[in-house]
Amino acid sequence: MYNNGSIADVETDDIESEVGESMYSRPLLIKRSNTTSQIAIVGANVCPVESLDYENPENDLVNEDLRLRRKIQVFQYVLLKWAFALIIGLSTGLVGIFSNIAVENIAGFKLLLTREFMQKHEYYKAFIVYAGCNLGLAASAAALCAFIAPSAAGSGIPEVKAYLNGVDAYSILAPSTLFVKIFGSIFGVSAGFVVGKEGPMVHTGSCIASLIGQGGSRKYGLTWRWLRYFKNDRDRRDLITCGAAAGVAAAFRAPVGGVLFALEEAASWWRSALLWRTFFTTAVVAIVLRGFIQLCSSGNCGLFGEGGLIMYDISAAKVVYSAPDILAVMLLGVIGGLLGSLYNFLVDKVLRTYSIINERGAAVKIVLVITISLLTSICSYGLPWLAACIPCPDKVSTSCPNTDVSGNYKSFQCPPGHYNDLASLFLNTNDDAIRNLLSTDTAKEFHISSLLIFFGAVYFLGIITYGIAIPSGLFIPVILAGSCYGRLIGRLFEPVSKLDVGLFSLLGAASFLGGTMRMTVSLCVILLELTNDLLVLPLVMLVLLISKTMGDMFNKGVYDQIVKIKGLPYMEAHPEHYMKNLVARDVVTGPLISFCGVERVGNIVHALRSTGHNGFPVVDEPPFSDAPELCGLVLRSHLLVLLKGKIFSRDRGLARNKILHKIAELDFAKGKGLNVEDLDIKEEEMDMHVDLHPIANTSPYAVVETMSLAKAAILFRELGLRHMVVIPKSQGRSPVVGILTRHDFMPEHILGLYPHIRSRK
């Protein structure tokens, strides 16, 4: 063994209990006696999250597999990639249709039942029915999350974003998470919470892609042997990227926006071939959605109609603007940036509070959900009583008052010929409320006081709802609040503006989205695909740029904040400023266990049992080399496969041909399912030797110890690495200084080593 280096990343399944807590404790110090070859663990640097292997290994087994692979196998591999993209698109589109139909019918039945009691002037019974339905749906969603898949709570976008960055958080893409995400989202949105199903759809698409890409689930006995070629993190990452894009396309009917969302927000690594497959996946989703929209438009989907799949068509509005309109749009951008940064700040505080509450158990989670549900029901049913009844306008394209489940001009408690504008917003699904706010040629429909009340309620409820134990998206609450204050600004600028108030609502939604999520290109295209109006493109671009710039002055985007709250070691695109003043060797904190090219079995088993390291340098020493030199890097999972095969010898000799004959490259796909406890090594086999050369990655990415830490961080992220070897600058020293993993680049780790850096900020 070699005794110089740093710690490597570790593996553990205990994640949920660690989320939100500090990931760093004492450095790992390993002492080894030259005479006894014993290893003693003095401390531990345990992180609860495993990193992914996005690097293409180069070893004898991989090279032999590539040499023997026939053209037909290569063709099948490429064909399967496109077939998977097709299946992901079809599956995600069908799930999106199912979710929309379910939400529209469940929420529609609830609203119909409430309206029947309202028409009989039995207002208390109407509230009991309305709140009771909401409580039952909310409790169902909470029970699913609390007892089956706690990781399904929230939108799931931060977790998907972290996974595509290289973080393998426990169970975020499991089949149980997929099940709860679908049905929990349906129940939560139908319960009237100020949440959306759009964020969960991104997570759902990613779960579908993960399930397909790994050939099923080993845990549930659903595996397909002929899909074993895809049991690697690189192909799985590409499929999950396609799934995330498909989720956006299914949620917003925005195929191009889905591709751009995956590129701008979700993926940390991109290439042109992935762009083509992602675009193909979202195109399949669009075709599936279009087919079902035509089917449902004829009334074959119950209460579900054309409005169920989000489409806010404002193309009928005349887009003509002048200097006062530009000033109003700029004001919207500033307001969106300020409100968005405040929203992110408050969501951060609420999430930290809820994380403490939710630690007390499943029952407490459900009680919290029921409490928020009751509060939401009181606001949705009670606040419309504050609004005065408004006479129906003379010329309207729809009936007034409206007796349908959805739409404008809700009568509520008003006499014939009158409507309640707040009821038109509160007693609707969130999608229909947005559609009402974006409606054109209805400038006087909503009073300014009603818009203020609705904005305050939605802003407040959106903050306190996100973080409870239900699948919940942020897109719809943000669009709802943004379109409300956008319409309010439109009413205020009505004397000097030529823009329709419906267009102001759209621009307000864009400003709030930019102020909270800090995306530009993808949001711009999504909004254009939603509203079917290209003429408003320059204004949407302007308001997004202003709101994002304003929000960035105060804090990070909401998804970046949630990633940090969850304690996921996410590698940022831009390293921290103080990393430029540090070099790679400065964060190497402890000796590293390394192996000889031909190592004693007992040493390997002892190292695997006593440490959680996942990467070990392999160093050749005489007689295999003239001087100590780095031979490569070997992974824990590969060592377990090799030890399980028991290709041992009593002499310290090379056994390349024997290993290549007994173990294939595809066997490494099974390595992640093995543990040290699965090994059956006899006592006499401990003194035997095993050749590590055939399984060692002979070309690991390495940096010189004097490289800037900022530069090393950029390389680590852009290349999608799990381990980065640090080598000495001068000759005559040990060939390995240490190993850097993503945890060595985390601010918590660096500031723990150099606390004086914090004081300089």
Side-chain angles (χ1 to χ4, degrees):
M1 283 188 182
Y2 213 79
N3 304 314
N4 212 355
S6 169
I7 58 171
D9 60 340
V10 299
E11 180 176 10
T12 178
D13 291 330
D14 187 17
I15 286 177
E16 295 174 8
S17 61
E18 299 290 335
V19 169
E21 299 180 359
S22 175
M23 296 182 295
Y24 300 96
S25 55
R26 297 171 56 193
L28 177 65
L29 301 178
I30 300 177
K31 297 181 179 180
R32 177 181 180 275
S33 170
N34 292 331
T35 57
T36 61
S37 298
Q38 296 297 314
I39 301 172
I41 302 297
V42 180
N45 184 3
V46 177
C47 173
V49 179
E50 169 78 6
S51 295
L52 296 167
D53 291 315
Y54 286 159
E55 180 186 356
N56 284 311
E58 295 183 2
N59 55 43
D60 291 345
L61 286 174
V62 173
N63 295 335
E64 184 71 10
D65 178 74
L66 293 175
R67 186 181 67 84
L68 297 177
R69 190 172 295 182
R70 296 174 296 175
K71 290 184 178 180
I72 186 63
Q73 292 176 312
V74 175
F75 175 76
Q76 290 173 347
Y77 174 71
V78 174
L79 184 63
L80 277 177
K81 282 186 176 182
W82 287 95
F84 284 166
L86 174 64
I87 296 172
I88 292 169
L90 288 172
S91 303
T92 307
L94 291 174
V95 170
I97 290 291
F98 171 74
S99 298
N100 279 281
I101 292 177
V103 168
E104 289 290 315
N105 282 277
I106 295 174
F109 174 79
K110 175 188 69 178
L111 295 173
L112 277 175
L113 199 59
T114 304
R115 192 191 68 187
E116 289 180 3
F117 285 97
M118 292 291 296
Q119 290 176 341
K120 298 176 183 178
H121 303 289
E122 297 176 348
Y123 301 124
Y124 289 105
K125 289 184 179 180
F127 172 72
I128 292 173
V129 168
Y130 179 75
C133 291
N134 287 343
L135 285 176
L137 293 168
S140 300
L144 287 174
C145 278
F147 294 111
I148 298 179
S151 57
S155 73
I157 293 179
E159 289 84 351
V160 173
K161 183 177 179 178
Y163 183 92
L164 296 177
N165 186 259
V167 179
D168 189 11
Y170 178 69
S171 79
I172 63 170
L173 299 174
S176 58
T177 304
L178 172 62
F179 172 81
V180 174
K181 206 72 180 183
I182 295 173
F183 290 96
S185 176
I186 291 172
F187 293 148
V189 176
S190 301
F193 285 116
V194 184
V195 298
K197 55 185 178 295
E198 287 67 32
M201 272 305 303
V202 176
H203 196 180
T204 298
S206 301
C207 289
I208 292 172
S210 175
L211 182 64
I212 294 172
Q214 65 183 350
S217 171
R218 184 185 297 109
K219 179 179 178 181
Y220 297 99
L222 301 173
T223 56
W224 295 276
R225 181 175 177 81
W226 56 280
L227 298 182
R228 61 189 185 276
Y229 286 103
F230 289 86
K231 283 187 175 292
N232 63 82
D233 293 331
R234 298 181 306 279
D235 289 323
R236 195 179 178 201
R237 171 191 60 187
D238 292 351
L239 291 174
I240 290 172
T241 303
C242 293
V248 175
F252 293 107
R253 267 169 61 187
V256 179
V259 176
L260 294 176
F261 175 85
L263 172 61
E264 181 180 6
E265 180 66 13
S268 299
W269 188 85
W270 198 264
R271 69 180 191 277
S272 58
L274 180 59
L275 175 65
W276 278 103
R277 283 206 304 277
T278 306
F279 186 73
F280 172 71
T281 306
T282 58
V284 172
V285 173
I287 294 172
V288 172
L289 296 182
R290 174 55 59 185
F292 273 89
I293 288 172
Q294 293 178 353
L295 174 66
C296 292
S297 62
S298 59
N300 297 323
C301 300
L303 297 173
F304 175 80
E306 290 187 6
L309 281 166
I310 298 179
M311 189 66 181
Y312 312 128
D313 195 339
I314 61 171
S315 58
K318 188 177 181 180
V319 183
V320 178
Y321 46 89
S322 56
D325 297 313
I326 299 297
L327 292 176
V329 171
M330 295 175 67
L331 176 62
L332 275 176
V334 173
I335 294 174
L338 294 174
L339 289 177
S341 58
L342 177 62
Y343 192 90
N344 292 356
F345 172 79
L346 295 176
V347 166
D348 180 273
K349 299 301 180 184
V350 169
L351 284 176
R352 293 181 186 275
T353 303
Y354 283 171
S355 65
I356 298 173
I357 296 174
N358 290 335
E359 287 178 355
R360 299 183 179 180
V364 176
K365 292 181 181 180
I366 297 175
V367 170
L368 178 61
V369 171
I370 291 175
T371 303
I372 300 299
S373 174
L374 184 60
L375 178 61
T376 303
S377 298
I378 293 173
C379 291
S380 299
Y381 187 85
L383 290 178
W385 291 91
L386 301 178
C389 294
I390 305 172
C392 290
D394 296 331
K395 297 179 180 180
V396 289
S397 57
T398 60
S399 61
C400 181
N402 190 352
T403 58
D404 294 333
V405 177
S406 61
N408 288 345
Y409 307 112
K410 290 268 188 171
S411 61
F412 198 57
Q413 89 291 6
C414 295
H418 294 71
Y419 72 95
N420 188 309
D421 56 350
L422 268 179
S424 300
L425 297 175
F426 278 113
L427 294 180
N428 257 324
T429 62
N430 292 331
D431 292 348
D432 286 324
I434 295 173
R435 193 171 290 104
N436 293 344
L437 288 170
L438 294 181
S439 60
T440 57
D441 298 327
T442 56
K444 305 292 185 180
E445 179 185 353
F446 302 101
H447 278 188
I448 292 178
S449 59
S450 297
L451 292 173
L452 283 172
I453 293 173
F454 184 72
F455 170 72
V458 168
Y459 194 88
F460 170 72
L461 290 174
I463 291 171
I464 66 171
T465 303
Y466 192 83
I468 61 177
I470 62 169
S472 54
L474 282 171
F475 272 101
I476 289 301
V478 169
I479 293 176
L480 197 59
S483 59
C484 186
Y485 76 71
R487 194 176 185 96
L488 179 61
I489 296 295
R491 288 293 304 274
L492 297 177
F493 276 80
E494 192 173 8
V496 296
S497 174
K498 298 180 181 179
L499 286 177
D500 190 278
V501 290
L503 296 179
F504 271 103
S505 294
L506 170 65
L507 296 173
S511 69
F512 202 22
L513 283 169
T516 54
M517 301 182 182
R518 313 294 161 79
M519 293 181 282
T520 53
V521 180
S522 57
L523 285 180
C524 184
V525 175
I526 288 173
L527 290 173
L528 291 179
E529 291 183 285
L530 273 175
T531 56
N532 193 29
D533 193 353
L534 277 174
L535 296 177
V536 78
L537 172 62
L539 299 180
V540 174
M541 294 174 65
L542 177 63
V543 78
L544 280 172
L545 288 171
I546 294 175
S547 61
K548 181 188 184 313
T549 303
M550 183 63 64
D552 284 338
M553 295 180 182
F554 298 96
N555 49 33
K556 293 184 178 182
V558 63
Y559 293 134
D560 293 322
Q561 290 188 174
I562 295 172
V563 166
K564 185 175 181 180
I565 293 172
K566 289 181 176 291
L568 301 174
Y570 184 85
M571 291 286 295
E572 298 287 351
H574 304 287
E576 299 289 345
H577 65 92
Y578 51 76
M579 290 187 180
K580 297 179 182 179
N581 301 321
L582 299 172
V583 295
R585 66 167 174 249
D586 291 336
V587 295
V588 174
T589 55
L592 170 74
I593 297 178
S594 62
F595 298 126
C596 296
V598 180
E599 185 58 81
R600 180 174 168 269
V601 173
N603 290 343
I604 299 176
V605 172
H606 189 75
L608 294 178
R609 287 176 176 171
S610 57
T611 71
H613 296 354
N614 283 301
F616 302 89
V618 178
V619 177
D620 267 342
E621 296 177 341
F624 300 104
S625 62
D626 296 333
E629 63 179 21
L630 177 64
C631 172
L633 188 75
V634 64
L635 298 178
R636 166 185 285 264
S637 58
H638 295 181
L639 286 172
L640 291 172
V641 173
L642 185 63
L643 292 177
K644 194 170 183 64
K646 293 191 175 184
I647 311 176
F648 308 146
S649 61
R650 298 196 177 276
D651 301 325
R652 293 189 63 194
L654 301 177
R656 177 182 181 275
N657 294 333
K658 188 177 180 181
I659 292 176
L660 293 181
H661 178 73
K662 191 168 183 178
I663 297 179
E665 193 268 337
L666 291 176
D667 293 330
F668 286 155
K670 307 173 185 176
K672 284 195 173 183
L674 291 177
N675 295 312
V676 183
E677 293 74 18
D678 299 327
L679 300 178
D680 183 21
I681 308 295
K682 297 180 175 58
E683 187 64 32
E684 59 270 17
E685 294 174 330
M686 290 291 190
D687 292 325
M688 301 179 74
H689 295 84
V690 61
D691 185 8
L692 302 181
H693 292 93
I695 66 169
N697 182 4
T698 56
S699 57
Y701 286 96
V703 297
V704 68
E705 60 181 338
T706 55
M707 175 180 281
S708 163
L709 189 61
K711 190 174 181 180
I714 294 174
L715 288 174
F716 194 97
R717 185 184 191 273
E718 294 298 325
L719 295 174
L721 301 182
R722 183 180 184 182
H723 303 102
M724 177 180 282
V725 181
V726 181
I727 59 176
K729 184 178 180 180
S730 58
Q731 299 287 338
R733 297 168 54 191
S734 60
V736 183
V737 174
I739 286 183
L740 295 179
T741 67
R742 66 174 50 245
H743 308 295
D744 295 309
F745 295 103
M746 293 297 106
E748 295 84 354
H749 175 62
I750 298 173
L751 296 177
L753 295 175
Y754 303 99
H756 63 279
I757 294 178
R758 189 187 300 272
S759 62
R760 295 181 182 178
K761 294 176 64 175

